Amino acid sequence: MFFQKATSGKNHILLYIATILIVIAGYILGQTPLVIVQTLQVKRHSEITTDVVEQFLETMDFSLLKLSNNVGLILMISIFIFTMLAFMLAIKYLHKLPFQRLITPNSSINWKKILFGFGLWFVIALVFKGILAFMHPETYYLNFKPMSWVFLMLICIFLLPIQTSLEELVIRGYMMPGLSLLTKNKWIPWVVTSMIFGLIHGANPEVERFGFWTMQLYYIGAGLFLGLITVLDDSLELALGVHAATNVFGAAFFSFDGSVLQTDSLVKANDINPYLMSLTFLMGAVIFIVVCNKKYNWGGFKRLFEPVEKSQATSTYTDISFETLD
C-alpha cells in the first residue's frame, strides 16, 4: 500500500529526473548562507588563509572560521531547509502528489509511531554507547558546556529533524517506490537506494579519516536497515524516527572528534573504531526489528519479497512521450 500511494501521482520518467535536478539545485542554493558567512569571516580575520579554508572544507570544523559549533550546525542545516522546500514544490507541482503520501498510505501521519521509533532507537544507542564507554573510559571525556548545550538541544529539536527527514523522504519515500515502477518488486529498490544512501555520505569527513570502503560498510548497512523497516512497516514513520534519533544522539549526547557533525555534545570521544561502530549498529538494528516485528505484527520478512502489484507498476516509463506529462 505504501509503494502504491507514494507513486499514485504523475510518474513520467522525466518528472523523476526533473525532481532530482530540482533537489540538487535546492542543495546548491542552500549553501548560500554558508558561503556568505565564510566570505565575511575571511574578510574579518586575516589569519583565515586559503589553506585554512581548504582545511575547513575537508573537516567542516567551524572553529577554523572563528565560528561556534552551534552557528556552524545552523549553517549546515540551512542547506537542507532550502533543499526540503525545493523537494516539496517538485512533489506538489510536478508529481501532483500530496506530500504525506511519501510518509504513509494512511489518511494521517502516525506521530506516535515516529516517536516510538525515535525513543526505541535512542535507548538502544544509549545502551550500546554506555557499554563502550564503560569498556574504554580513556576514549571518552565529558564535554558539558551548559549554555552551548541548551542551545544545541533547541537546534536538535527544531531544526536537525529537517535534515534527517529530507534524506528519508527523498531516498526511501520517493526513490524507493519510484524504482519499483521499473523493477516491479521491492527488494531491488531496497538494495539500490541503500547503496545510493551510502554514496551520498561518501564526502563526509569520516571517510577520509577511516577510508571509503570502511565507512561504506556503515552507511550502506544503515541504509539497508532504514529501507527494511520502511518496507516491513509499509510506511516511512519508523525510519523517520530512527534517523532523527541517530543524528540527535550523535549531535547532542555522544559525538567524536572528526565527525561530520562538530558539536558541543555532552560526551565526546577522541577516537572511534569504525568496525565496532558498524557491529553495534547491526546489533541494535536486529533488536529494533525484533521488537517492532512483535509490536506491529510484521510477520517476518515476507513483505520485502512480495511483488509490486501490476496496477502500480504500470506507468509511463514504458511510454516516454511529453504528452503523458499533461
Side-chain angles (χ1 to χ4, degrees), residues 180-236:
S180 74
L181 295 170
L182 278 174
T183 64
K184 300 180 176 61
N185 61 48
K186 300 173 183 177
W187 70 268
I188 292 179
W190 169 57
V191 172
V192 171
T193 53
S194 298
M195 295 175 67
I196 293 172
F197 184 75
L199 290 174
I200 66 173
H201 289 84
N204 285 5
E206 301 98 323
V207 173
E208 175 140 0
R209 181 176 176 182
F210 301 112
F212 178 81
W213 293 111
T214 300
M215 290 309 301
Q216 284 301 302
L217 176 67
Y218 173 77
Y219 294 135
I220 294 177
L224 288 170
F225 167 55
L226 292 165
L228 181 61
I229 61 176
T230 298
V231 173
L232 297 182
D233 194 59
D234 206 30
S235 82
L236 195 64

Side-chain angles (χ1 to χ4, degrees), residues 33 35 39-40 61 63 87 89 95 107 146 154 157 186 242 258 288 325:
V35 172
T39 303
L40 291 174
D61 181 357
S63 66
F87 181 56
L89 290 172
H95 287 279
S107 58
L154 292 174
I157 293 170
K186 300 173 183 177
V242 169
F288 187 93
L325 291 170

Side-chain angles (χ1 to χ4, degrees), residues 213-315:
W213 293 111
T214 300
M215 290 309 301
Q216 284 301 302
L217 176 67
Y218 173 77
Y219 294 135
I220 294 177
L224 288 170
F225 167 55
L226 292 165
L228 181 61
I229 61 176
T230 298
V231 173
L232 297 182
D233 194 59
D234 206 30
S235 82
L236 195 64
E237 292 152 337
L238 286 174
L240 287 170
V242 169
H243 201 151
T246 300
N247 286 29
V248 169
F249 184 83
F253 294 90
F254 278 85
S255 66
F256 63 92
D257 297 334
S259 168
V260 66
L261 293 177
Q262 291 295 307
T263 61
D264 293 325
S265 61
L266 193 61
V267 176
K268 299 199 83 158
N270 50 42
D271 194 19
I272 62 165
N273 184 324
Y275 297 105
L276 190 58
M277 181 176 68
S278 297
L279 177 61
T280 54
F281 188 95
L282 174 62
M283 295 169 64
V286 171
I287 293 172
F288 187 93
I289 290 171
V290 169
V291 171
C292 289
N293 182 61
K294 183 174 180 60
K295 179 177 176 63
Y296 297 111
N297 299 313
W298 287 346
F301 298 97
K302 61 183 181 181
R303 187 172 288 172
L304 179 63
F305 300 101
E306 291 175 350
V308 173
E309 293 182 16
K310 186 175 181 180
S311 60
Q312 176 199 343
T314 302
S315 77

Side-chain angles (χ1 to χ4, degrees), residues 141-168:
Y141 60 94
L142 188 64
N143 186 55
F144 185 46
K145 301 174 183 177
M147 291 304 297
S148 179
W149 191 77
V150 170
F151 188 24
L152 172 60
M153 281 302 302
L154 292 174
I155 297 171
C156 287
I157 293 170
F158 295 106
L159 294 179
L160 191 56
I162 296 173
Q163 176 257 320
T164 59
S165 297
L166 176 67
E167 291 186 11
E168 291 306 309

